[in-house]
Structure formats: structure tokens, C-alpha cells
Amino acid sequence: MSYTTERASSWTANGSQHHKPTPEEAVERLSHYHPAHRHFHRAKSMLRSSGRILIAGCGFLADSYDVFVINIALEMMEQNDYGVPLTPSIRAAVSMMTVVGALAGQLIFGVCGDQFGRKWTFISTAALTILGTVLQSAAQPRMMGLNIWQQLMLFRFFMGVGVGGEYPMASTVTSEGSAAAHRGRNLAMVFSMQGVGRVLCALVLLFSVHVITDTNWQWRFSILFGAVPMMACFKFRWMPESEVFLEDVGDKTPPAERMYVILHTVWDNRMKLLGTAGSWFILDVVFYGNSLFSSDVTAAMGGANANLPGNALTNLYIQLMAMPGYICGVIFMERIGRKRLQMSGFAGQAVIFAIMAIFYKELKGLTGLFVLLYALTFFFDDFGPNLTTFVIPAEIFPTAARSTCHGISAACGKAGAAVGAAAFLEITNMYCVRGRCVKGRDADLLDRGVRAVFIICSCLAVVGLIWTKVFVDDRPHESLAEVENADEIEPAKPGEVEELEDAVVEGFEMGKLQKPEGYEIPSRQPSARAIE
């Protein structure tokens, strides 16, 4: 019987009984050992590989789920009387707290990932995301001196901090656990869990509306379900520390000196950071311009002034439009290349937004074409900069500041989202009296404002294309050159290699084995390190 990984898993170092390898089994086992990295190779498993993607990607699933669930969840809450009316300003504040929290989390946990290591920081972001989500679902009309809307703002900020931390941590863990041939694909698959989260969110909202009759529990269930995927993956995050981090930082830089090294490394890579952070900022500004005409698409699809079930169904249709871009990004990431894919995405957005701006009035009367162009804006976003702005920072920076630089880049993206949300709202209404349009009465003036937004988005996409060409460097850092797929390796247990070597020596001395080719027999007695 061969000494396979499954048999090896019964081996323990605490003195308990275990299978003692025969000389033949020890030879086979040692043939898969990598002395420099202190681990064994094992057969590639699609199940293990998919599992690691899910573990890293569940944070992005939670991110998109929680961002998209809140709008319809607030509509559900409006069916109940919680003592304080939901005004437009409160609605905007509740939604925006996630963005503010995410920006803080990207910066804080980005630095923590380089200062304290990947493992514990990765676990912390998951715990904070789960806690914030559960607390939201448990909000009460009055608690801790806060009304229900203030509680949601506070708890969504906490959740946002955890979700924001997922950006630098999931990217770094995936990057440092993937071989060069599959790294871009794996990173794209992790980020594409955003699309899965959007669709899951839409399905859960449909279920809540049609199945749960208690309006006080509709929104609670819808929000709480966003924590379920993270809870399911939580225990699997207790994985070994990244070997790249241990070798490049853990074994070389004492914890007291790491902050200085992080700051110095960030400064040394400031031009690369300018490229990644700037392109991410431009992308998110454009993305929020894209979201401005979602109500027009809803109307074109027959969802204008619809009831809650109708809005939930329309939401599902819109989220399904995003999936083809993610799928194509995963398939073609390695073939096209990161930088070229980002440039082509910006170019596609520039063309579509220009068409939308020039022919806006004509397109509003052509439902099918209007919806198609709307879907194409999502396609070029997800099959382009939305994926690549996440992938590139995970590969091009040194290990000492990889997490920090990714966090800074992502935080600039969130800043762009805030700028886009605030600026485009004003631009849309700028032709109306006192900057506030009334639907129906000011339809023509509102159309002029939306067209102005599309023109700006098209111009920004061109800026993004040029910015990528000039500033973005997508060459992976040399520290990732020798990285192996984490799902194909198994760390050696304490004392395991010595026991295997003793078995080989014993087999050689007893004449059971010929000396393995290229194997150096240890100069010691077999019993010296044998484990009883």
C-alpha cells in the first residue's frame, strides 16, 4: 500500500499512535517532499482548488450582497412603523456608511496584513463582517439610545470595515497561494464572487417578498442571509500562514521593524501605486455614473412604479446582466493579459457611454436596444477594469507591502465611488430649479442632466484608458515567481520527515531497499529520531 497523503493525514506528533511507514512507503512519500519549502506535493484536486476560491471569495460575495440588499431591504422596512420616518437623507446615509467603513477597512487591514501576517488578519475580517451583518438584522426601534436607522448606520459601518478588509486580504492570500500559470484566473474567480453575491441577493429578496408574510421579518431575513456564506467558510480560514510571507518577511523582519519596512516599500513603489490607485479611482467614478440610469432601464423593462415584488424581480434581471462579463474575465484573463484587458474595458465603456449620450432620447423609445446597451456597460466593466484593478495590485508589489498597497488602491476606488455618487447626482439635476428635478414636470431637463453624466463618463473612460497605458505596470513581482498552488501542497508535520528518513535508512541497512537515486542518507542512527 502506498504512503499517500490520506495515510499521512493520520500521522501525529504528540505521541499518539499512528501508521508507521514501511521503507517503500517512505521512499514514495519523500519523493514528493520539497526540502526548501518544507512541504509535500500532492495530486491536484479540483475540489480543493474550488474550496480555496470559495473561502477567499465569500468576502466578496458578502460585499456585493450587503451593498445591493440594502435598497430593497429599506423598502421592506418602510412597511413598518419604527417611530422615525425614513427620509431620503437617512436612506442615503444608511447606504453610504458601508462605503465609508469599507474605505477604512481597506486601509487598516491592508497594513495589518503586512504587519501581523495574512492568517489572523484574514480571520479578523471575516469575524467583523459576520458580526456587523448579524447586528443589522437584530436592530430594534430603540436601542442604546439610537433609533433603528442610526443603529443600521453604525452596524453597517462595522460590517463595511470587515468587507473592506477582504479586498487586500483575499487578494494577497490568493496571489501568494497560486502558481503563475493560474494566478490571474484564481484572482478573477475570487473577485467574480461579487457577481454571485448580486444574483444570490436578488433571489433571497424574491424569496423574502413572496414567502415571508411578516413584514418585520422580511428585511431581517434578507440582511441576515448575507452572513451565511461567510459563516460556512469561517472555520476553513484557519489555514497555515502564507509561505511567501514567512520567507520574505516573517523570517527576516522582526515585528518591531515591519512598519518602517512597509512605509519604505510603499514609497519605493509609489509610481506603481499611482497606476493601480488612479485607475481604480477612475473606474468607480464611472461605475456610479453607470448606476444612475438604472431607473430608466427598470422603466424600459416594465418595472416603473412597480410594487415590492416587481422591484425584486427586476433587480434579479439587472444582476444577471453582469454575469457574462465576470465569466469572460475568468476565461480570458491569462490569455489577454491584465493591462490589455483593462484598456479594452475602458475603451468599450467610452464607446457605449458616448452612444448613450448622443442618442439618449432615441434610445429611450427603443426598449430592446436600450437594455442591450445597458448590459454592455456592465459587460465592459466586469470584462475589464472591474476585475483587473483587483488582480494587478495583488501581483506587482513586494511581499513586505503587498497587502498595504492593495488596500490603498482599493480605498482609492471607494473614494471614487463616493465622489461619483455625490457629483453625478448634482450634475443630473443641474438644469433644474435649485438643482432638484421633479420627475414628470422636469423630464426634459432631467434628460439633459443624464446626458451630461454620460458624456463625462465617456471622457473619464478615455482618461482611464490613457492612465492605464501610461502608469499601470502589470508585471508580477519576482517574489511570486516560484510560488506553487497552495491546494497542491501539504506542510510537513513536526518530526514527520525525520521518521520517513529513518524508515528509508532502516530499509537500506536491512537490504529491503536500494539507495534512492539522488538521495543522501542522513549520518545518524535510525532510532535517534524515531517516534514511538
Side-chain angles (χ1 to χ4, degrees):
M1 180 177 183
S2 64
Y3 190 71
T4 62
T5 299
E6 286 69 24
R7 291 294 299 272
S9 64
S10 65
W11 192 95
T12 59
N14 58 9
S16 60
Q17 293 184 349
H18 63 278
H19 168 72
K20 183 178 180 180
T22 66
E24 293 82 2
E25 292 170 350
V27 169
E28 180 180 345
R29 177 70 168 163
L30 286 171
S31 68
H32 300 288
Y33 182 60
H34 194 306
H37 292 167
R38 302 182 296 278
H39 64 228
F40 293 91
H41 291 273
R42 57 188 176 189
K44 184 175 181 179
S45 167
M46 288 302 296
L47 181 62
R48 290 194 193 98
S49 180
S50 301
R52 291 185 67 88
I53 297 298
L54 289 174
I55 293 169
C58 64
F60 290 95
L61 189 155
D63 174 19
S64 60
Y65 185 101
D66 292 318
V67 168
F68 282 90
V69 76
I70 193 61
N71 289 329
I72 294 183
L74 289 175
E75 289 185 31
M76 294 175 174
M77 294 179 73
E78 284 187 295
Q79 300 174 101
N80 306 281
D81 182 11
Y82 293 114
V84 179
L86 179 61
T87 64
S89 60
I90 292 177
R91 180 188 290 270
V94 171
S95 300
M96 187 55 63
M97 289 309 294
T98 307
V99 177
V100 175
L103 194 153
Q106 287 160 345
L107 295 174
I108 293 170
F109 284 111
V111 175
C112 288
D114 290 324
Q115 175 68 34
F116 304 111
R118 318 314 193 200
K119 177 180 178 179
W120 294 109
T121 309
F122 200 30
I123 293 171
S124 300
T125 60
L128 192 55
T129 302
I130 293 171
L131 178 63
T133 305
V134 172
L135 288 175
Q136 284 180 75
S137 67
Q140 300 299 315
R142 198 76 187 177
M143 185 170 63
M144 302 181 301
L146 304 174
N147 64 48
I148 195 167
W149 313 118
Q150 292 169 332
Q151 293 169 48
L152 282 179
M153 293 178 202
L154 178 63
F155 299 147
R156 284 187 70 79
F157 175 80
F158 288 148
M159 181 204 70
V161 173
V163 166
E166 288 290 308
Y167 280 75
M169 294 319 305
S171 64
T172 303
V173 168
T174 304
S175 178
E176 294 177 355
S178 302
H182 309 293
R183 188 181 302 119
R185 181 204 63 189
N186 290 348
L187 285 165
M189 289 177 67
V190 167
F191 192 75
S192 294
M193 292 298 288
Q194 275 195 345
V196 178
R198 294 180 191 177
V199 175
L200 178 64
C201 172
L203 291 173
V204 171
L205 288 170
L206 273 175
F207 173 86
S208 299
V209 168
H210 290 284
V211 177
I212 302 176
T213 57
D214 187 337
T215 56
N216 186 51
W217 279 100
Q218 281 182 346
W219 67 270
R220 295 184 189 278
F221 174 81
S222 299
I223 291 177
L224 181 61
F225 196 89
V228 172
M230 186 71 86
M231 289 178 177
C233 295
F234 185 74
K235 73 172 185 177
F236 298 105
R237 292 201 168 197
W238 298 71
M239 58 183 67
E241 181 59 88
S242 161
E243 287 191 356
V244 175
F245 178 82
L246 289 176
E247 292 179 5
D248 292 356
V249 178
D251 294 342
K252 295 180 181 180
T253 310
E257 299 178 10
R258 288 179 189 171
M259 185 56 68
Y260 170 79
V261 173
I262 291 170
L263 295 174
H264 184 73
T265 305
V266 169
W267 178 252
D268 286 345
N269 290 270
R270 57 190 180 278
M271 291 307 298
K272 289 183 178 180
L273 191 58
L274 180 66
T276 56
S279 56
W280 210 329
F281 179 90
I282 296 168
L283 163 70
D284 275 10
V285 174
V286 174
F287 176 80
Y288 274 83
N290 185 12
S291 67
L292 278 177
F293 56 93
S294 60
S295 60
D296 294 310
V297 174
T298 301
M301 297 171 69
N305 301 316
N307 54 18
L308 189 57
N311 286 339
L313 182 61
T314 302
N315 183 52
L316 174 61
Y317 294 151
I318 292 175
Q319 303 315 323
L320 287 172
M321 292 179 183
M323 291 309 298
Y326 284 117
I327 295 171
C328 290
V330 171
I331 294 173
F332 295 103
M333 177 67 70
E334 302 292 356
R335 302 179 188 180
I336 297 177
R338 288 71 160 149
K339 185 170 181 176
R340 282 182 292 181
L341 188 58
Q342 183 162 308
M343 292 173 63
S344 64
F346 274 127
Q349 285 186 320
V351 172
I352 298 300
F353 276 117
I355 293 174
M356 297 287 283
I358 296 171
F359 302 105
Y360 181 72
K361 288 187 176 181
E362 292 82 356
L363 289 170
K364 287 192 69 175
L366 301 172
T367 302
L369 184 57
F370 189 77
V371 173
L372 175 62
L373 289 173
Y374 180 73
L376 284 176
T377 62
F378 275 115
F379 179 82
F380 284 111
D381 181 63
D382 297 324
F383 184 48
N386 196 33
L387 274 181
T388 55
T389 51
F390 174 81
V391 172
I392 294 174
E395 297 183 300
I396 67 173
F397 294 107
T399 307
R402 181 170 293 124
S403 176
T404 300
C405 291
H406 197 286
I408 293 173
S409 301
C412 286
K414 290 301 180 187
V419 170
F424 287 148
L425 179 62
E426 297 298 321
I427 295 171
T428 304
N429 293 273
M430 67 181 180
Y431 292 104
C432 299
V433 178
R434 296 180 181 177
R436 288 294 175 266
C437 294
V438 178
K439 287 189 176 181
R441 187 192 71 184
D442 299 325
D444 291 339
L445 297 176
L446 189 61
D447 284 348
R448 290 175 63 187
V450 173
R451 175 176 286 183
V453 169
F454 291 160
I455 294 172
I456 295 172
C457 286
S458 181
C459 294
L460 283 173
V462 173
V463 173
L465 171 63
I466 297 172
W467 190 280
T468 301
K469 176 66 176 179
V470 175
F471 294 109
V472 171
D473 180 359
D474 64 347
R475 291 171 296 179
H477 191 265
E478 59 185 10
S479 59
L480 297 175
E482 302 300 325
V483 170
E484 302 166 271
N485 283 327
D487 56 292
E488 298 177 27
I489 63 176
E490 176 190 7
K493 302 174 181 65
E496 180 181 11
V497 175
E498 288 80 357
E499 183 186 35
L500 293 170
E501 290 178 338
D502 288 339
V504 172
V505 172
E506 181 181 352
F508 179 71
E509 292 178 345
M510 296 178 64
K512 295 182 179 180
L513 293 176
Q514 295 294 324
K515 180 180 177 181
E517 183 178 353
Y519 177 73
E520 296 293 335
I521 299 177
S523 57
R524 54 183 169 79
Q525 293 297 322
S527 61
R529 299 187 185 181
I531 299 175
E532 301 296 335

